[in-house]
Amino acid sequence: MWYHNKFFKFGTSFLLLLLIIFMLGKIDFFLAPMRAFIANIIIPIIIAGLLTYLLRPLVALLERFKLPRTAAILLSFVLPLLLLAIIATYTGSIITKQFTELTNDLPRIINLAKQKADETIDYSWFQYLPDLKLEEKLAGFLGTATNNVSAFIFSLIGTVTNIGTILLLIPFLLFYFLKDGSKLPDNILRVFPTRHRENGREMLKDIDTTLSAYIQGQMLIALAIGIMMCIGYLIIGMPYAAVLGLFALLTSIIPFFGPVIGIIPALLIGLTINPFMIVKVVLVMIIVQQIDGNFISPQVMRRSLDIHPVTVILILTGCVSLFGVLGLIISIPLYAAIKVTVKNIYSMYFAKPTTE
């Protein structure tokens, strides 16, 4: 009968699983501990994993100089902190000053942006447009955009600056990920049937290569975009160029939506200066994106994830509703890992088993 079909059984099981997850989500005494577990355990593991891929090339480089692995790991902790300290020595005061000024000036910027928007709407040629209630919509958009940007910044800061997590759990996890990460595949392969362990090893290697290429490449691209946006802001005379460039750097970690999110504060500030400044900000973003798309990304992202933009949008939209800001950062590498896993498991299932 049709209900004995494998596809029907799989679909029914999948829908039942989704229903169970949905119903558990409605139970507060179940959901609250799960959120606490994710915040206290899963998030530090994810952050430590991301940092592992960033520091692993440095550890490998230090080991080439005959340093013991433990010493190379500890030195890989010290060198980035030393580099950040040197950068902060020369730029920290500028960024701190601009950030303080921008924070204090934010209410005036919002009010002035609304005033400029009202003046633009009052231009005579707007009278020929249908009654679209542009003023109310623009005011609502400015308020929503400001609130969303503020929420994003504070959420990002809150995610990254949990003092107890940063000082204790993440460095501890990071050290052992770097030290014993090479042993992880062998431990995972123990659960594989003997005849499929070689295929499993290739699958884990493929996942590791994909994640490594994406994470390291995305960080380099974000750094390049942040620097170019800062230079562009300086050229067009945008106030708070260093802070806006840093914000563009952080948001560029997010695929697809990152560059658009990154210029929202600059657009609000540009609106308070003159409408032409908004055009300049958009031109800076377009030029930076062209340089990135034609020169930087093709060199850095040699191993493409081959993900359709519509898929990226759907993944980001779903993950941000589940995990917030962190979902924007981890969703694409997580999808890439799942995609590689499913592809390899499918090949493994239909591949001819190796001799035991």
Side-chain angles (χ1 to χ4, degrees):
M1 297 294 292
W2 60 271
Y3 48 79
H4 291 302
N5 186 277
K6 289 184 179 180
F7 178 78
F8 177 78
K9 292 181 178 179
F10 173 79
T12 304
S13 301
F14 182 69
L15 290 176
L16 182 60
L17 177 63
L18 291 179
L19 179 61
I20 292 172
I21 294 174
F22 175 77
M23 295 306 296
L24 288 175
K26 297 297 182 180
I27 305 175
D28 289 337
F29 69 82
F30 175 82
L31 191 59
M34 283 296 295
R35 286 176 177 170
F37 176 78
I38 291 174
N40 296 325
I41 302 297
I42 302 300
I43 290 178
I45 290 176
I46 292 173
I47 295 175
L50 294 174
L51 292 175
T52 299
Y53 280 108
L54 294 178
L55 292 182
R56 196 168 62 180
L58 179 58
V59 173
L61 177 64
L62 293 173
E63 285 185 313
R64 294 180 184 176
F65 292 95
K66 308 301 181 182
L67 282 177
R69 188 165 186 83
T70 300
I73 293 172
L74 294 176
L75 191 57
S76 71
F77 284 14
V78 173
L79 289 178
L81 293 176
L82 183 61
L83 178 61
L84 289 176
I86 294 173
I87 294 174
T89 301
Y90 293 99
T91 63
S93 59
I94 298 174
I95 295 176
T96 302
K97 179 181 178 182
Q98 289 190 8
F99 184 79
T100 303
E101 292 176 353
L102 179 59
T103 303
N104 296 331
D105 206 28
L106 191 59
R108 186 193 67 82
I109 291 174
I110 295 174
N111 292 330
L112 188 56
K114 185 178 181 304
Q115 179 183 344
K116 292 286 186 179
D118 293 340
E119 293 174 358
T120 303
I121 291 174
D122 287 337
Y123 284 167
S124 58
W125 56 272
F126 269 94
Q127 64 183 340
Y128 299 105
L129 295 177
D131 185 14
L132 299 176
K133 297 182 179 180
L134 293 176
E135 183 175 352
E136 291 83 352
K137 291 182 179 180
L138 185 57
F141 169 77
L142 290 175
T144 302
T146 304
N147 291 334
N148 289 341
V149 170
S150 301
F152 177 84
I153 294 173
F154 287 116
S155 177
L156 187 63
I157 293 174
T159 300
V160 178
T161 59
N162 186 311
I163 301 301
T165 302
I166 290 287
L167 295 181
L168 296 176
L169 190 54
I170 290 180
F172 180 81
L173 292 172
L174 180 58
F175 176 82
Y176 282 100
F177 283 176
L178 289 170
K179 185 174 183 295
D180 299 327
S182 58
K183 301 177 183 178
L184 183 61
D186 292 330
N187 293 329
I188 295 176
L189 289 172
R190 291 176 184 175
V191 303
F192 282 70
T194 305
R195 64 182 180 274
H196 287 306
R197 285 183 181 174
E198 190 59 35
N199 300 102
R201 190 178 300 279
E202 291 298 321
M203 178 185 71
L204 295 177
K205 182 179 178 181
D206 199 5
I207 293 172
D208 181 69
T209 303
T210 300
L211 291 178
S212 178
Y214 175 80
I215 293 171
Q216 294 169 12
Q218 194 66 27
M219 292 300 174
L220 289 174
I221 290 172
L223 179 62
I225 289 177
I227 293 173
M228 288 190 294
M229 290 297 291
C230 180
I231 294 173
Y233 289 147
L234 289 173
I235 292 174
I236 65 175
M238 171 66 68
Y240 316 113
V243 174
L244 295 175
L246 180 61
F247 185 77
L249 186 155
L250 294 175
T251 57
S252 295
I253 298 174
I254 303 169
F256 201 81
F257 293 118
V260 178
I261 298 173
I263 67 166
I264 290 177
L267 291 176
L268 291 175
I269 296 173
L271 185 60
T272 66
I273 300 173
N274 56 66
F276 189 60
M277 182 60 75
I278 297 178
V279 177
K280 291 181 180 179
V281 171
V282 174
L283 285 176
V284 167
M285 186 196 71
I286 293 174
I287 293 172
V288 169
Q289 288 301 308
Q290 289 298 313
I291 294 174
D292 171 56
N294 291 288
F295 300 102
I296 299 176
S297 289
Q299 297 299 319
V300 175
M301 291 291 196
R302 293 180 183 272
R303 183 185 175 90
S304 175
L305 296 182
D306 192 24
I307 304 177
H308 196 277
V310 174
T311 306
V312 173
I313 294 173
L314 294 176
I315 293 171
L316 292 175
T317 304
C319 285
V320 73
S321 63
L322 293 174
F323 305 109
V325 175
L326 189 64
L328 292 173
I329 299 173
I330 69 170
S331 56
I332 300 304
L334 182 63
Y335 171 80
I338 294 174
K339 180 180 178 181
V340 171
T341 302
V342 172
K343 179 181 177 181
N344 280 273
I345 288 178
Y346 180 84
S347 301
M348 186 190 311
Y349 182 78
F350 289 101
K352 184 178 179 180
T354 57
T355 304
E356 297 187 19

